[in-house]
Amino acid sequence: MSSKVWMSSVLSNHNIGLKQGARTKFFGHEWNPASLEIPLSPDDVHAASRRHREGFALERSEFPEAIAVWDQKRFKKVKEIFMAGPFYAVQGKLAEVLARFDLGEGGLLPFTIYQADLETPYPGEFFLLNFGCRKDTLVPESSKKVSKFVVVKKTGQQRWKVDDWIEDEVVLRDAALEGPDLWFEEALYNKIFVSDALAQAIMDIGMKDVFALEECRIAGEAQ
């Protein structure tokens, strides 16, 4: 077992999903308009998205039913990770990589992308990325890179945020080395963590910068 883990700031990469030229249909809702303006998500979708970005796995019905490409020129520029509404989707080599690893209660969910007529399938294989693991291994008192963010009213839990401008490491307990290869830390806002094996596989396909990977320190290791 490797003694390394990595933190990803992919959730803060706003270039992902920028003006994709695609529209979204959620279960129980009409198609969003074909527009570069991103509409507000319905309340149920927004609630599901918030849970998902904390590492909770969702049911298929909570994700978009489908998306449709109305501007092929723009959509052809989409990379191997892109957006389906407020959720993440993958294709190509990244999908192949993720399929080899333990994603906890989540995983890759096949879904359909249509052409502009809303009937003809768009060529390719596409998958929704269903997160599905939370760990509680953050050591905030040793992580100079984090600061207090908010106290969760329901639980009283202190949540932390990463100060990206600080040149230091996020520190995790060695329990982070166990379990699924992709997870969220319960006490940390808006970051994903990945095992060393998954991080190396992401780097091998040239996507280190897309995922903004930073190595973490395991508590007890020499600084």
Side-chain angles (χ1 to χ4, degrees):
M1 177 189 297
S2 172
S3 61
K4 292 182 181 180
V5 297
W6 298 73
M7 180 178 71
S8 168
S9 297
V10 68
L11 298 180
S12 301
N13 186 341
H14 301 300
N15 290 321
I16 298 173
L18 183 65
K19 297 181 178 180
Q20 291 182 162
R23 58 199 295 206
T24 309
K25 184 183 185 311
F26 299 104
F27 287 95
H29 299 278
E30 298 297 322
W31 281 97
N32 284 341
S35 170
L36 294 178
E37 296 293 326
I38 300 175
L40 292 175
S41 298
D43 289 345
D44 56 335
V45 175
H46 179 67
S49 175
R50 289 188 62 179
R51 296 201 328 275
H52 198 230
R53 284 174 173 258
E54 293 182 357
F56 292 102
L58 301 182
E59 299 294 329
R60 176 66 184 89
S61 59
E62 295 179 285
F63 284 102
E65 183 176 352
I67 67 175
V69 177
W70 57 270
D71 187 330
Q72 290 205 38
K73 184 176 180 181
R74 290 183 182 276
F75 195 76
K76 284 180 179 178
K77 297 179 181 179
V78 162
K79 307 302 182 183
E80 294 190 348
I81 182 168
F82 58 101
M83 303 302 296
F87 303 98
Y88 287 85
V90 296
Q91 60 177 325
K93 291 181 180 179
L94 180 58
E96 294 173 7
V97 163
L98 291 171
R100 302 202 309 263
F101 288 87
D102 182 356
L103 304 183
E105 295 180 12
L108 300 184
L109 305 176
F111 82 114
T112 303
I113 295 181
Y114 292 106
Q115 297 188 35
D117 62 6
L118 308 183
E119 295 180 358
T120 306
Y122 195 87
E125 286 188 301
F126 308 99
F127 304 87
L128 295 160
L129 175 53
N130 191 5
F131 303 128
C133 182
R134 287 158 55 87
K135 299 182 185 180
D136 185 14
T137 69
L138 178 70
V139 187
E141 63 272 17
S142 300
S143 303
K144 295 178 181 179
K145 196 176 176 67
V146 306
S147 59
K148 290 182 178 180
F149 178 50
V150 68
V151 174
V152 180
K153 290 183 180 180
K154 288 184 178 180
T155 64
Q157 180 193 44
Q158 175 69 59
R159 297 198 75 197
W160 301 76
K161 65 181 177 67
V162 171
D163 298 320
D164 287 312
W165 61 89
I166 295 178
E167 293 294 330
D168 210 295
E169 297 158 312
V170 170
V171 181
L172 305 178
R173 292 186 291 108
D174 59 5
L177 301 171
E178 304 170 359
D181 294 284
L182 187 152
W183 72 95
F184 287 69
E185 284 291 330
E186 293 181 16
L188 195 63
Y189 171 71
N190 209 42
K191 299 294 180 182
I192 293 174
F193 291 80
V194 297
S195 67
D196 186 49
L198 177 51
Q200 296 300 327
I202 289 171
M203 293 181 209
D204 287 345
I205 60 172
M207 297 192 71
K208 180 180 181 179
D209 290 343
V210 173
F211 278 81
L213 292 172
E214 299 177 58
E215 188 175 340
C216 300
R217 183 165 63 85
I218 300 300
E221 289 185 348
Q223 299 190 39

